[in-house]
């Protein structure tokens, strides 16, 4: 067990897996894709155009850009959908 202020490495500590781990990258990409599908089906998501970029979506509840927020593992939907 770790004492306050100490660092414990590895999955037992509850730390996120290495971003360089292919399995972790695949799992994170799937989570993002699943969350985006939920956002795109939500009536609170609105599309907006950014010059020279693909259309983006913004949540009217939290005002976040869905394409960015869905990629953050610790992020939560303000409506509790994910």
């Amino acid at each position: 067990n770790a004492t306050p202020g100490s660092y414990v490495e590895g999955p037992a500590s509850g730390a996120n897996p290495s971003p360089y781990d292919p399995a972790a990258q695949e799992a994170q990409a799937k989570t993002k894709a699943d969350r985006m599908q939920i956002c795109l089906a939500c009536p609170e998501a609105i599309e907006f155009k950014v010059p020279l970029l693909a259309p983006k979506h913004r949540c009217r509840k939290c005002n976040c850009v869905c394409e960015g927020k869905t990629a953050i593992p610790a992020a939560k939907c303000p409506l509790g959908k994910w």
Side-chain angles (χ1 to χ4, degrees), residues 17-77:
S18 168
Y20 305 106
D21 176 11
Q25 287 179 345
E26 186 176 330
Q28 188 169 354
K30 181 175 178 353
T31 298
K32 180 184 186 317
D34 291 346
R35 289 176 172 186
M36 271 305 299
Q37 287 301 314
I38 293 167
C39 288
L40 293 175
C42 180
E44 295 299 329
I46 55 174
E47 183 177 278
F48 68 97
K49 306 280 187 202
V50 179
L52 305 176
L53 295 176
K56 302 292 181 191
H57 300 84
R58 184 175 298 278
C59 174
R60 289 189 284 200
K61 289 294 181 184
C62 66
N63 207 31
C64 286
V65 175
C66 299
E67 287 80 1
K69 187 170 184 173
T70 56
I72 301 170
K76 303 229 183 281
C77 170

